[in-house]
Amino acid sequence: MINMFSIEWNSFKAELQRHPELILQFQYAQSKWVKANYHITEIKQAPITSVDCGGVVNAWTEIIVQLWEPTEAEEGRAMQVKKALSIIDLVESKMALNTKGIVKIEFGNSEFDTRQMYPGEFKIDGDNLVINLTPDATQCKAINRGGSCGTTETGEECCAPAQPEKIKVALVNLAVGQNSCSPESGCC
């Protein structure tokens, strides 16, 4: 998995632990915020094993924190960081989370398709710890390894291993003009 915005679970959790008394807020797009009365509905651990288009096996783990906005307004229910940490502690008491797992925040509502995003910048704004979410994108691991993706100028298919160059061999008749055996000459 290759992404410049990714953060590992241990770093994500450590950042939260630095600010337990603040209100935890998520910004999912420009001027768009997850409603303050959101819930953390689950934390998922997803071990991923894949084979990319170049035939290379890749493996990593994602830790996915799912947020949900209830339809009813709940006044005064903004989540403090320490509440999020208590949910994390509960999850970790039931399941060991990979400390090197890549964190994603899963969120969607009626105006924003559900997707998994990376926690980007953590910033303090008054009594709030704001986590700006950055979109995920598809990627070609072969390109990131210096390979190619798509058909090349020489016609190679997507991420195909390089084909050995065929060497042309010139056949030379070394026997011309020398004494040699030929069929029916009696020399053999």
Side-chain angles (χ1 to χ4, degrees):
M1 208 255 346
I2 303 157
N3 189 293
M4 59 187 275
F5 298 110
S6 64
I7 183 172
E8 293 179 348
W9 180 251
N10 58 349
S11 298
F12 177 79
K13 186 176 162 184
E15 191 65 35
L16 294 179
Q17 290 169 331
R18 292 179 53 214
H19 309 287
E21 299 303 320
L22 296 178
I23 303 296
L24 184 57
Q25 298 290 326
F26 294 90
Q27 185 174 2
Y28 62 88
Q30 185 69 34
S31 303
K32 301 276 185 175
W33 299 80
V34 176
K35 290 181 184 172
N37 66 336
Y38 71 88
H39 294 237
I40 295 176
T41 58
E42 65 184 4
I43 298 176
K44 305 178 242 188
Q45 179 165 249
I48 311 287
T49 304
S50 71
V51 178
D52 66 32
C53 57
V56 175
V57 176
N58 301 280
W60 68 94
T61 300
E62 294 177 357
I63 308 295
I64 304 153
V65 179
Q66 185 182 74
L67 307 180
W68 171 70
E69 292 179 338
T71 54
E72 301 92 34
E74 296 175 338
E75 294 302 320
R77 198 201 170 283
M79 186 179 296
Q80 283 188 295
V81 173
K82 67 182 173 185
K83 173 64 176 175
L85 288 168
S86 73
I87 294 168
I88 289 169
D89 289 343
L90 174 65
V91 169
E92 289 182 327
S93 76
K94 307 284 182 187
M95 171 176 61
L97 295 177
N98 181 339
T99 59
K100 300 287 186 188
I102 301 301
V103 177
K104 289 188 173 179
I105 307 297
E106 185 174 73
F107 172 74
N109 61 24
S110 62
E111 299 171 8
F112 188 76
D113 292 338
T114 300
R115 64 186 78 176
Q116 294 177 357
M117 297 166 280
Y118 293 101
E121 179 185 15
F122 288 69
K123 70 180 174 186
I124 296 173
D125 182 9
D127 292 336
N128 298 302
L129 175 61
V130 178
I131 301 177
N132 288 317
L133 302 178
T134 60
D136 194 1
T138 57
Q139 54 198 313
C140 178
K141 291 173 183 68
I143 287 175
N144 292 322
R145 288 190 310 269
S148 67
C149 195
T151 304
T152 65
E153 293 173 7
T154 59
E156 293 171 326
E157 292 301 317
C158 176
C159 309
Q163 297 296 319
E165 187 176 320
K166 293 182 181 179
I167 300 171
K168 293 183 179 182
V169 178
L171 299 176
V172 177
N173 186 351
L174 299 175
V176 174
Q178 298 178 5
N179 290 336
S180 63
C181 289
S182 61
E184 302 172 6
S185 68
C187 69
C188 299

